[in-house]
Amino acid sequence: MRNAFLAGAAVVLATAALAACGSSSGGGDRSGGAEAAGSPRAAASSPGPVSGTDAEPSGDASAGPRPSRGSEPPKIPTDRLTPATGTFTEQQKEYLTDRVPVGTDPAAVLQTGQETCDRLDYLVKVDRDTAVGAVVTGEIAGAEPAVTHLCPRHEDLVARASLGYADGVHRGDELRPGRYRAVSPASTCTWEVAGPGGKVLASGSSHDGKRPALTIPKAALAFTSTGCYAWLPEGDDG
């Protein structure tokens, strides 16, 4: 009898649990629109507030306008650019101006600029053209402001880089007639110079094992480079 009683109780409990599950999963059909009236299940399944409805939070009006998507975050004013200890030099503060987002440690941003200068120091010792090529390609990003304010000893590198070309397609005013040589080209380096009507004026590759060089004539309208890394004006040793 005791076993029969326990078995019966288990059946009752299982039936009650199944009934509760069925009520939560299908209750919307029997509730006469309870979910539409704001039941917890309806709120949980909602994809979020819809603009222009009462469901959209109004926010704190005192917090000011929110920045639009894609806009740059506000920067720390120049007069508030101070390190945790010590002070910034005038050159360091000039570098940091309009460069430190609110909530960011200015010293961390300054360190990024100093690391850029350190990389240039190292590459110049290894190979000067490689250092210039790294600036041309953007491999060393932010070189110009870092050099201008933190390591002006490398101003000639930035000046040379401004006359070079990275891999890609260059057109119109980007083109400067003259003779160029490739810096650290891959074995798959190819290039082409096109003129009016897309006519190929010159082309070449590194397949012959020689260091690629080319001439961009005045009639050129487009210059395409692939796998050549960077091009520098030939005969310009800085």
Side-chain angles (χ1 to χ4, degrees):
M1 294 294 293
R2 181 179 179 184
N3 290 337
F5 174 77
L6 291 175
V11 170
V12 172
L13 290 174
T15 303
L18 290 173
C21 292
S23 173
S24 63
S25 62
D29 294 336
R30 298 188 298 272
S31 63
E35 288 187 1
S39 69
R41 181 170 177 264
S45 63
S46 172
V50 179
S51 177
T53 69
D54 293 336
E56 184 177 7
S58 60
D60 184 1
S62 63
R66 298 178 181 178
S68 60
R69 291 183 180 180
S71 63
E72 293 187 0
K75 302 297 191 298
I76 297 178
T78 304
D79 58 359
R80 292 175 54 192
L81 290 172
T82 55
T85 59
T87 59
F88 290 130
T89 66
E90 194 62 33
Q91 290 76 16
Q92 290 172 337
K93 185 169 288 189
E94 289 175 356
Y95 171 75
L96 292 171
T97 298
D98 295 328
R99 198 176 296 278
V100 185
V102 171
T104 302
D105 182 3
V109 177
L110 177 62
Q111 182 178 354
T112 299
Q114 291 173 332
E115 289 173 351
T116 296
C117 291
D118 292 342
R119 291 185 66 189
L120 289 173
D121 286 340
Y122 172 78
L123 287 177
V124 165
K125 293 178 181 178
V126 175
D127 182 78
R128 193 176 190 81
D129 281 353
T130 299
V132 178
V135 176
V136 171
T137 62
E139 183 180 339
I140 296 183
E144 183 173 357
V147 167
T148 299
H149 301 293
L150 303 177
C151 49
R153 60 186 175 277
H154 294 311
E155 286 180 346
D156 61 321
L157 299 183
V158 174
R160 289 190 66 207
S162 68
L163 301 176
Y165 296 98
D167 276 336
V169 180
H170 307 274
R171 303 178 185 277
D173 294 340
E174 293 182 72
L175 301 181
R176 293 174 296 276
R179 185 77 175 167
Y180 295 83
R181 67 179 184 275
V183 178
S184 302
S187 60
T188 55
C189 167
T190 59
W191 56 270
E192 179 182 282
V193 179
K199 180 181 179 181
V200 177
L201 303 179
S203 64
S205 70
S206 59
H207 297 162
D208 58 4
K210 297 180 180 180
R211 188 177 186 183
L214 62 88
T215 297
I216 297 180
K218 293 182 179 180
L221 296 180
F223 166 47
T224 304
S225 171
T226 304
C228 304
Y229 186 61
W231 297 83
L232 298 180
E234 194 171 63
D236 179 9
D237 296 324

